[in-house]
C-alpha cells in the first residue's frame, strides 16, 4: 500500500544508485510477501510476527497490513547504512495500517524475556550476514511460541528470481 505518486516524488530526490537499490528492496519485499502469504494467512488476526533483519521495513508493513502485529528488528550492520533512510522514505509513502513496532540496532534476545513470544518469525536474507547463523536459528525457538513457526529464507544466487 505504497502511495505511488508520493514514492515517485520521494525517490526523485535520491541518487541513481539509491533509486536502483530502493527499487530492488521494494521488489524483494513484495516478492517475499507473496511467498509468505500461505503461512501468514493461517495466523489469526492480531497474531505476533517477528521479522529479523527488516531492512527498509516494507515487508513488516505488508505483513502488518494483514491484521498481524509485527516486531521489526534491524540490527543495521555495516554496509547497510541506507536502510534507515529508505525506511523513513517508505514510511512517508505508506498509506495503510501500521501494526509495526520498530527495534533498531537490536535482536529479540536483547529484550526483556517477559515480552510475549511470537506466533511466527521470518528472516529473509539474514543468515548469510551473521557471524553465527546456527545460533540465530536456535535463538528463534526462544522468541516463538511452542507451536510457532520460523521461516529463514536464504538467497540462491545460482537461480536468482530478479
Amino acid at each position: 500500500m505504497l502511495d505511488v505518486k508520493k514514492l515517485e516524488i520521494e525517490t526523485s530526490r535520491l541518487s541513481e544508485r539509491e533509486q536502483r537499490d530502493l527499487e530492488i528492496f521494494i521488489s524483494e519485499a513484495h516478492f517475499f510477501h507473496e511467498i509468505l502469504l500461505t503461512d501468514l494467512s493461517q495466523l489469526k488476526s492480531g497474531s505476533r510476527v517477528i521479522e529479523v533483519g527488516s531492512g527498509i521495513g516494507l515487508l513488516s508493513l505488508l505483513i502488518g497490513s494483514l491484521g498481524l502485529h509485527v516486531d521489526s528488528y534491524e540490527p543495521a550492520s555495516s554496509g547497510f547504512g541506507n536502510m534507515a533512510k529508505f525506511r523513513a522514505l517508505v514510511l512517508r509513502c505508506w498509506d495503510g495500517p501500521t501494526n509495526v513496532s520498530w527495534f533498531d540496532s537490536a535482536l529479540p534476545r536483547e529484550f526483556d524475556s517477559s515480552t510475549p513470544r511470537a506466533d511466527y518469525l521470518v528472516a529473509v536474507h539474514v543468515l548469510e550476514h551473521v557471524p553465527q547463523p546456527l545460533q540465530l536459528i536456535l535463538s528463534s525457538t526462544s522468541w516463538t511460541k511452542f507451536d510457532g513457526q520460523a521461516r529463514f529464507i536464504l538467497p540462491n544466487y545460482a537461480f536468482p528470481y530478479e
Side-chain angles (χ1 to χ4, degrees), residues 51-97:
E51 184 185 6
V52 177
S54 59
I56 66 169
L58 181 55
L59 181 57
S60 288
L61 290 167
L62 292 168
I63 293 169
S65 72
L66 300 172
L68 306 170
H69 178 79
V70 183
D71 289 340
S72 182
Y73 293 89
E74 176 50 52
S77 61
S78 64
F80 295 90
N82 277 337
M83 292 302 169
K85 176 181 179 177
F86 290 160
R87 184 188 318 141
L89 184 152
V90 165
L91 285 170
R92 288 192 301 272
C93 300
W94 182 252
D95 186 24

Side-chain angles (χ1 to χ4, degrees), residues 14-22 86:
L14 301 174
S15 71
E16 286 183 32
R17 170 66 190 239
E18 290 173 324
Q19 289 177 20
R20 282 192 309 271
D21 289 348
L22 181 60
F86 290 160

Side-chain angles (χ1 to χ4, degrees), residues 62-146:
L62 292 168
I63 293 169
S65 72
L66 300 172
L68 306 170
H69 178 79
V70 183
D71 289 340
S72 182
Y73 293 89
E74 176 50 52
S77 61
S78 64
F80 295 90
N82 277 337
M83 292 302 169
K85 176 181 179 177
F86 290 160
R87 184 188 318 141
L89 184 152
V90 165
L91 285 170
R92 288 192 301 272
C93 300
W94 182 252
D95 186 24
T98 310
N99 299 324
V100 180
S101 298
W102 306 101
F103 300 97
D104 291 329
S105 302
L107 288 173
R109 66 176 153 68
E110 298 170 347
F111 288 92
D112 190 316
S113 61
S114 66
T115 302
R117 291 180 176 209
D119 300 284
Y120 193 86
L121 178 140
V122 63
V124 176
H125 295 310
V126 171
L127 291 178
E128 68 272 22
H129 298 289
V130 297
Q132 298 176 326
L134 182 57
Q135 184 58 45
L136 179 61
I137 293 170
L138 294 173
S139 294
S140 72
T141 61
S142 67
W143 306 329
T144 55
K145 293 179 179 177
F146 178 74

